[in-house]
Amino acid sequence: MDEDIDECKDLHVSAIDLVYRTQLGNPEFYGDPEVALIDCLHRGNLIPTDYTINKYRQQFEEYRNDTKVGSVPDDWFNFDLNDNAVLTCLASNKSPLLQTRLEAWKPFG
């Protein structure tokens, strides 16, 4: 039975999950995930209308090049990284901004 469930998941659920995440985060099928992210944030009214991809890239570079220990994305961007809708946009567009929120997997303690 477990093999049947795994096979069904591999054949059907994974494909549906991919389509669902794409529908949420990138329904226009932008080739650039950063553009898709900004579009998703705009569609959700999660950022000001004048917030552009260039502004995002500038803020991302400033954040990435920051040397302050313990700096988190919340300090750098014009959107609320604690908002579930923002997190949905970030996750569905595979944003590196989620990395700081993921805990390291430590299988051996």
Side-chain angles (χ1 to χ4, degrees):
M1 180 72 165
D2 286 340
E3 289 179 25
D4 291 339
I5 292 172
D6 289 341
E7 185 176 342
C8 178
K9 182 179 175 186
D10 289 342
L11 289 174
H12 303 290
V13 175
S14 298
I16 292 169
D17 179 59
L18 176 62
V19 170
Y20 177 72
R21 283 186 291 117
T22 300
Q23 176 188 357
L24 285 178
N26 188 7
E28 301 295 327
F29 296 104
Y30 292 112
D32 183 339
E34 291 178 330
V35 172
L37 170 62
I38 299 307
D39 179 63
C40 182
L41 294 171
H42 275 295
R43 282 185 285 108
N45 296 316
L46 302 166
I47 53 177
T49 56
D50 62 346
Y51 191 85
T52 64
I53 185 65
N54 291 333
K55 180 68 173 174
Y56 168 79
R57 287 179 174 151
Q58 174 191 358
Q59 290 177 332
F60 186 81
E61 282 303 310
E62 290 170 357
Y63 163 69
R64 198 173 70 151
N65 294 324
D66 182 40
T67 57
K68 289 184 273 183
V69 174
S71 180
V72 293
D74 304 55
D75 299 336
W76 292 96
F77 295 92
N78 289 43
F79 41 89
D80 182 2
L81 289 159
N82 294 307
D83 183 296
N84 285 337
V86 170
L87 292 172
T88 297
C89 287
L90 293 172
S92 59
N93 288 292
K94 300 178 183 169
S95 172
L97 293 176
L98 288 177
Q99 288 301 110
T100 59
R101 297 183 174 276
L102 301 176
E103 294 182 24
W105 182 48
K106 298 177 184 176
F108 303 110

